[in-house]
Amino acid sequence: MIGSAVLYALGGVALFGMGLYALLAYPNLLRKILGMNVMGTGAFTILIAAAYRGSDAAPDPVPHALVITGIVVSVCATGLALSLAVRIQAVTGAAYLTPDEEDAP
Amino acid sequence: MTWENSLPLLIVLTSLIPGAIIFFLREAAHGVRTVLNLVGAFSKLVLIAIMIGGLQAGVTYETRLPLLPNFDLVLRSDSLSVLFVILSASLWLVTTIYAIGYLEESPNRSRFFGFFSLCVSATMGIALAGNLITLLIFYEFLTICTYPLVVHRGTEKALRGGRTYLVYTLIGGVLLLVAVIWLHAVVGAVEFMDGGVLNGVAQSQPALFSLLYVMFVAAFGVKAALVPLHGWLPRAMVAPAPVSALLHAVAVVKAGAFGIVRITYDLYGIAVANQLGVLTPLLLITCLTIVVGSLFAIFQDDLKKRLAYSTVSQVSYIILGVALFGPIGSIGGLLHLVHQGVMKITLFFGAGNLAETLGIHKVSEMDGVGRRMPLTMAAFTVGALGMIGVPPTAGFISKWYLGSGALAANESWVIGVLVLSSLLNAAYFLPILYRAWFKEQQAPWPEEHDFGGRLETHWTLLMPPVVTGLFALLLGIVPYILRSLVEVIILKEYIG
Amino acid sequence: MTTVLPLIIVVPILAAVGAFVLPRWSFPVALVGSLATVGLAVALAIEATATGAVRHTIGGWRAPLGIDLVLDGLALVMVLLTALIGLAITLYGRGYFGRAAPETEKGRQAVYFWALWMFLWAALNALFLSGDVFNLYVTLELLGFSAVALTALADKPNVLKAAMRYLIVSLSGSLMYLTGVAFLYGGFGVLDIAQLSSLTRETPALAVAAALMTAGLAMKTALFPLHFWLPPAHANAAAPVSALLSALVVKGSFYILLRLWLEVLYPLAGTFVPQVISLLGVGAIVWGSLQAIRQTRLKLLIAYSTVAQLGYLFVLIPILALERDNTLVLGGVICFVLAHASAKAAAFLSAGNILQALNDDKLSKLDGLMRALPLTVTAFGLAGLSLVALPPSGGFVAKWLMLDVAISRGYWGLTVVIVGGGLLAAVYVMRVMGRLFKQAAQPEVLSALKPVPRVMEFSAFGLALLAIGLGFAGVYVLRLLEIGARAVAGGG
């Protein structure tokens, strides 16, 4: 029988994989950024699953603290990625990672 | 730091520091550069004189700097290093004077003299190296410093020559690196000692130590231009004449030969090398090199190329002395280390003078040049006769000892090689002398350069070959001075 | 308890904030911040050599929720390296960005550069000093963000795309690392490295954590074949940023990888994972060198050289995990880190000078530059010596140690790779040097060169001298590494 902690952890792994797939498969930058967020959520879910200490005991608080920190980091990352994507769209006209052109270094 | 443990380092630094300063001088700072060069060269000679005095009083001079755990940078004075140090330092002084005259009007002089000084520092380091890692470091350092000199002119041809030089020497360097570390992995940290340090351990693993010996000889053989590793030398001839003198007589080729001497005598020990049976293949290779080098030389019309192939052949005499087991042959080899340097540098100075004064680069352009430049050609003649081995030149002494050594080592066929080589030497040098002295001038000189004054060329160009030519004669007429030093070294190597 | 330890993180952060809020004063603020950080690094070195390793609990908050800073020999060497290279880059940046007013485009870039660079320095110091695996994650992200933002400074299409690729790789790498942290915590219940060190054994949780963390960090360190993002980012960034990325930033993620295998993942030393890393290192040396030889632009050549040189860092990981107490093996790797960092920074700064003078870095345009920019070309040449590992140089000492490890254990394949990599490096360095020594094909190009500020030439030259000087510092580096080697017990 699968315990709920393992279920959570497996869910996290699945989310991580889906996010990674999106990151690699979609050319559109916005989708890539969303994929990264899904990946992050997967990692957080695995961390939360690690907090499970049996049905009677209170969960371990440490992973929760870590996840909160992680979410803050992830928000920053998303912000940076979005602003870069906006610049790329402004400069190249499309939010895609097209092959490099021969411009002066 | 005391005198005893700083002197070897100072001998290296007397050219390293001037070299480093010279890089930062303006091109026009002719006076400062000359003063720096000469002060460095003279103070080096003074320090060497002090070191010789101390050695005779039984003092050992040793500089030791920690490099890595178990690995120190060791510079130490012993008789063998003194021999090489005297040779290089004196020839460097002469070559510097020559280079000042030769290059003072061409571009990039600061760069040239900077690297020139670094080369000599590297050679001093090779001579004084007390262990393998020190030898390796300075050996590679020499490679680096000579490259810019070989490509000095910056032409396509010079760059190609430099590239060939680097390909050969870097591969040789890598071989040396692996051999050194491998040896350390087997026997731990070892330092050079008279009579060698591998007695016992080498015989217990003969295959491994023979392989290592082959690696060492191949690594040093690249710079010593042993056939078939000699390909870089003729191609490096594009360099200016003082560089050729440096490559052939003072530093590079000599460093290779010296490395083989060091490895055989002071690492393995000549007796151990003999027991391993590695001397016979070495003997065969040197004989092959002697003959092949001379054969190639005959067919070169380019004067410097002819001299280059002559070097290939002559440097192997030194290693021949090593490969002949027995003190007499060894004495011949070490004597030739000095003799070849003095004679070959005279020849290159001569060739440089012909090129610089009259624009002569080819043997076929030399008809009647003896009358136009008698002093230069007189010096050149002494060098050439020395290479053939005509008495009373220094070359005769070397060949005499090598021949006697071959008899003593029961390798009498080597005498045949020596005779053949002398004939070949005559075959490529005598026509030059004949053209220069006995033929009439056929055509105007290709590119005559007037230095003014009454001398046949500028005095800084004329003085060096005359001095070294006289030395080549002196070493042949009064061989005792040098021989007594060499005998001391060889005695220690055989008695241990 | 010492108070200097947190300051070495706080001071550069303050400088970053100062440079940002006082745009007119951004350089002076950054210069003061740099000098102070260098001073603090020296103070830490003196303290640690006198008293041994240092452990500091920030604000008295104990682990697992508090933050512990640990300074041992390894961390100290990295902090010192960052200080030396950092100072040179600050000086170089002054010449590079000049005195443009903050309202201009160049001035705007300068303000961002100073703020982000100080921030990056703080992130590096925090990373080296972190005592637990989660804080390492946070510092890794901070490092990645500042590096990406610095890359994107130039605001040209290729640069922005390179920065975006870099960000994506960096983030996915960090997230893999974080997932690994989750498995470590799930498996062993602690985050502190010293505590983990005594708890870990060969379990499935450790194996999964090892795979995730190693893969993530290898990606961020641009280990072949995950290196694709590095050359465009490193080659297109501004010169001081290129130097930072190649010299220091990739070393940050490698440092974590190294620590993990030394102290946490070592029970897996006998498995195939470290062998795979080592093989990929070999692949990096071969592939990176061959690509470097093929390049036609100087900065791309240097960037591919980084890909190759990073490979050397990984080849000894299996031996390192097996022989954790052998300072000579660790010494070989760390000497390589130091040598590569200083030589590569010098190379990128020299390339920046050439780019500044020529407005181009195509190899075919470099003929005869030795005459025009002797100091810069000499700097590049000396850096090249160290990259080829010719003596005397830091690269030589590192290769000597690595070859010693390989040969004395009879790893002949590794020996061939290390030696062959050096020869390949000689080929690509000579492709550049040969041209620099050549007679100028177009003398008119040389006379039309733009002037290069002296400070830029001298900072590149200084770093090159550092790369050479490291050739004489091997003994001292090894002595520093001995400080508190794994002796700092968990303080929590």
Side-chain angles (χ1 to χ4, degrees), chain A residues 16 23 32 36 39-40 43-44 46-47 60 62-63 65-66 73 77 81 87-88 91 98-101 103 105, chain C residues 64-65 134 137 141 145 148 155-158 160-161 164-165 167-168 171-172 175-176 178-179 182 185 191 297:
Chain A
F16 192 90
L23 186 68
K32 278 186 190 291
M36 266 174 341
M39 258 176 98
F44 300 149
I46 299 171
L47 256 179
D60 182 358
V62 173
L66 302 188
V73 172
R87 280 306 307 162
I88 289 178
V91 175
T98 47
D100 281 359
E101 58 242 58
D103 61 1
Chain C
L65 292 177
F134 183 75
Y137 162 73
E141 289 287 40
F145 294 163
V148 168
D155 208 29
K156 284 183 219 147
N158 283 358
L160 289 172
K161 281 185 281 184
M164 191 72 201
R165 284 199 191 94
L167 179 65
I168 290 172
L171 277 177
S172 1
L175 285 173
M176 285 163 101
L178 180 65
T179 316
Y185 190 77
L191 295 166
R297 269 185 53 204

Side-chain angles (χ1 to χ4, degrees), chain B residues 183-475:
Chain B
L183 186 82
H184 276 297
V186 180
V187 299
V190 283
E191 305 205 337
F192 299 139
M193 247 173 55
D194 293 333
V197 288
L198 297 183
N199 195 11
V201 59
Q203 289 93 329
S204 66
Q205 288 166 280
L208 172 63
F209 280 86
S210 301
L211 173 64
L212 284 172
Y213 189 83
V214 171
M215 289 172 78
F216 280 124
V217 168
F220 288 115
V222 169
K223 278 208 176 96
L226 281 182
V227 169
L229 308 171
H230 65 286
W232 62 273
L233 191 58
R235 268 173 262 187
M237 282 293 82
V238 291
V243 176
S244 303
L246 187 85
L247 289 177
H248 287 256
V250 186
V252 178
V253 174
K254 276 297 152 56
F258 180 80
I260 294 179
V261 172
R262 257 291 193 234
I263 295 298
T264 312
Y265 288 141
D266 292 341
L267 184 69
Y268 277 73
I270 183 76
V272 176
N274 193 38
Q275 283 171 32
L276 286 176
V278 289
L279 292 182
T280 313
L282 185 62
L283 186 64
L284 292 175
I285 289 188
T286 50
C287 287
L288 178 74
T289 308
I290 288 172
V291 174
V292 170
S294 302
L295 276 176
F296 273 112
I298 294 176
F299 298 105
Q300 306 300 323
D301 186 33
D302 186 305
L303 181 58
K304 281 177 76 185
K305 276 212 167 144
R306 189 174 288 196
L307 294 180
Y309 278 108
S310 155
T311 300
V312 171
S313 161
Q314 293 280 334
V315 167
S316 265
Y317 280 68
I318 303 169
I319 306 164
L320 176 71
V322 174
L324 287 171
F325 180 69
I328 303 175
S330 305
I331 291 175
L334 285 191
L335 282 176
H336 202 61
L337 184 82
V338 178
H339 292 166
Q340 188 269 350
V342 177
M343 298 186 300
K344 191 40 73 69
I345 207 167
T346 311
L347 291 171
F348 271 108
F349 286 154
N353 281 1
L354 295 180
E356 195 66 356
T357 317
L358 305 174
I360 292 177
H361 296 278
K362 295 200 164 107
V363 175
S364 51
E365 296 165 345
M366 287 179 69
D367 294 351
V369 77
R371 217 158 295 165
R372 170 66 177 81
M373 303 186 74
L375 284 174
T376 299
M377 281 318 292
F380 189 94
T381 305
V382 171
L385 293 178
M387 288 297 174
I388 303 171
V390 177
T393 59
F396 169 69
I397 309 285
S398 320
K399 284 199 181 162
W400 177 264
Y401 272 95
L402 287 172
S404 320
L407 280 181
N410 285 327
E411 306 272 10
S412 43
W413 60 274
V414 173
I415 307 246
V417 174
L418 289 175
V419 170
L420 175 63
S421 150
S422 296
L423 289 175
L424 292 171
N425 292 345
Y428 63 80
F429 272 126
L430 288 183
I432 300 181
L433 303 184
Y434 176 75
R435 278 177 186 272
W437 293 113
F438 299 108
K439 273 197 156 183
E440 289 295 322
Q441 181 178 352
Q442 303 288 334
W445 308 118
E447 195 188 341
E448 193 157 358
H449 189 304
D450 186 20
F451 288 98
R454 280 180 301 161
L455 295 171
E456 60 195 57
T457 181
H458 196 266
W459 71 269
T460 49
L461 297 181
L462 186 57
M463 192 265 271
V466 170
V467 169
T468 53
L470 283 176
F471 259 102
L473 214 50
L474 195 70
L475 288 168

Side-chain angles (χ1 to χ4, degrees), chain B residues 67 69 147 153-154 159 174, chain C residues 371 400 419 430 438-439 475 478:
Chain B
L67 213 55
Y147 171 78
R153 297 209 197 278
L159 285 163
V174 156
Chain C
R371 285 200 78 178
W400 174 280
V419 161
M430 282 318 299
K438 212 171 172 177
Q439 271 176 344
V475 173
L478 290 178

Side-chain angles (χ1 to χ4, degrees), chain C residues 241-254:
Chain C
V241 177
S242 301
L244 277 175
L245 295 177
S246 252
L248 298 175
V249 174
V250 282
K251 305 299 187 313
S253 45
F254 175 75

Side-chain angles (χ1 to χ4, degrees), chain B residues 24 66-69 71 107-108 111 133 136-137 140-141 144 147-148 153-156 159 166 170 174 177-178 180-182 184-185, chain C residues 328 370-371 375 385 390-392 396-397 400-401 403-404 407-408 412 419 423 426 430 434 437-439 461 471-472 474-476 478:
Chain B
F24 291 93
L67 213 55
L68 283 170
F71 296 111
N108 301 327
R111 189 176 97 199
I133 188 172
L136 168 75
I137 288 176
E140 293 281 49
F141 186 50
I144 302 159
Y147 171 78
R153 297 209 197 278
T155 56
E156 199 57 58
L159 285 163
L166 270 190
L170 283 182
V174 156
L177 178 66
V178 172
V180 169
I181 295 179
W182 197 351
H184 276 297
Chain C
L328 282 181
M370 180 74 184
R371 285 200 78 178
L375 203 57
L385 278 191
L390 288 173
F396 170 73
V397 167
W400 174 280
L401 286 168
L403 274 177
D404 198 24
I407 292 179
S408 58
W412 296 108
V419 161
L423 289 177
M430 282 318 299
F437 271 112
K438 212 171 172 177
Q439 271 176 344
F461 187 67
F472 299 94
V475 173
Y476 308 103
L478 290 178

